[in-house]
Amino acid sequence: MTEKRLYEVVNPSDAITFRATVVEAACIADRLRPAWYFVKDVQTGEEPKIDNLEEVYEAIWKSADKLASYAEAYRSFMVGSRSERELLEEAVSRMTEDEAKAYRAQWHDKRRTSMNDICRQVWETAEKIASYEAEAA
C-alpha cells in the first residue's frame, strides 16, 4: 500500500491535518480549492500535485479499494497541529473503535473554534464515498 503522508489544510481558522497518499491529497486539494482552502505536505511544505487528475478521478469510482482509501483519508481530518495529532493518534491506538470514535468527536468539539466546521463537512463526504459501490469495470 502507498504511504499515507500528513497534510495540512491551509485555511483562515483552525489548524487541520489529515493523512493521505500524494494522489489522494491532490484530489482532496482540488475539491477544497473552490472554498479557498489549500493543502500542503507537512514535511515538505509543498502542495500535492499529479498530472492526470481527471483520469485519477474516474479510476476512484471503479475500485472498492480506492473508495475505501479515500473514505479513510477524508475521515482522518482533525483539528490540530502535527504534534497534537500525534497525541490523539497515540491515545486512540489503545482504544476500541467505538471508544476512539467518541474520543475523536470530543477532541474535535473541544478544539474547533471556527463556525465553519471543515472537518464535519469532509467527514460527511467520507461517509458518502464509503457508501458508494464501485462501478463494474
Side-chain angles (χ1 to χ4, degrees):
M1 180 173 193
T2 307
E3 176 190 10
K4 295 226 176 192
R5 300 180 57 85
L6 188 61
Y7 291 91
E8 177 184 349
V9 177
V10 180
N11 71 90
S13 55
D14 298 322
I16 295 174
T17 57
F18 68 98
R19 291 200 182 277
T21 66
V22 174
V23 173
E24 290 165 349
C27 289
I28 291 169
D30 185 62
R31 304 295 352 150
L32 295 176
R33 195 171 291 113
W36 289 86
Y37 303 139
F38 302 94
V39 172
K40 72 176 183 178
D41 185 303
V42 168
Q43 219 172 4
T44 67
E46 295 177 6
E47 181 180 350
K49 294 182 181 174
I50 55 174
D51 293 331
N52 54 348
L53 191 60
E54 189 174 324
E55 289 175 30
V56 169
Y57 273 134
E58 289 187 26
I60 294 168
W61 309 108
K62 295 178 174 134
S63 166
D65 290 340
K66 287 181 183 175
L67 287 167
S69 189
Y70 274 85
E72 178 185 320
Y74 275 92
R75 285 183 186 124
S76 76
F77 273 65
M78 65 158 282
V79 172
S81 66
R82 176 186 202 167
S83 59
E84 291 171 313
R85 179 179 199 93
E86 290 170 357
L87 291 172
L88 173 72
E89 289 175 343
E90 171 60 28
V92 300
S93 71
R94 298 183 304 272
M95 298 178 187
T96 67
E97 188 175 328
D98 288 341
E99 290 170 335
K101 187 175 181 179
Y103 188 82
R104 279 189 213 96
Q106 180 183 27
W107 172 284
H108 176 75
D109 291 340
K110 287 175 88 174
R111 285 166 176 75
R112 182 179 64 86
T113 61
S114 174
M115 294 299 291
N116 186 13
D117 194 343
I118 297 168
C119 290
R120 288 224 193 270
Q121 292 173 26
V122 296
W123 293 340
E124 289 172 10
T125 299
E127 298 318 307
K128 289 176 185 174
I129 293 169
S131 69
Y132 190 85
E133 290 188 36
E135 298 171 359

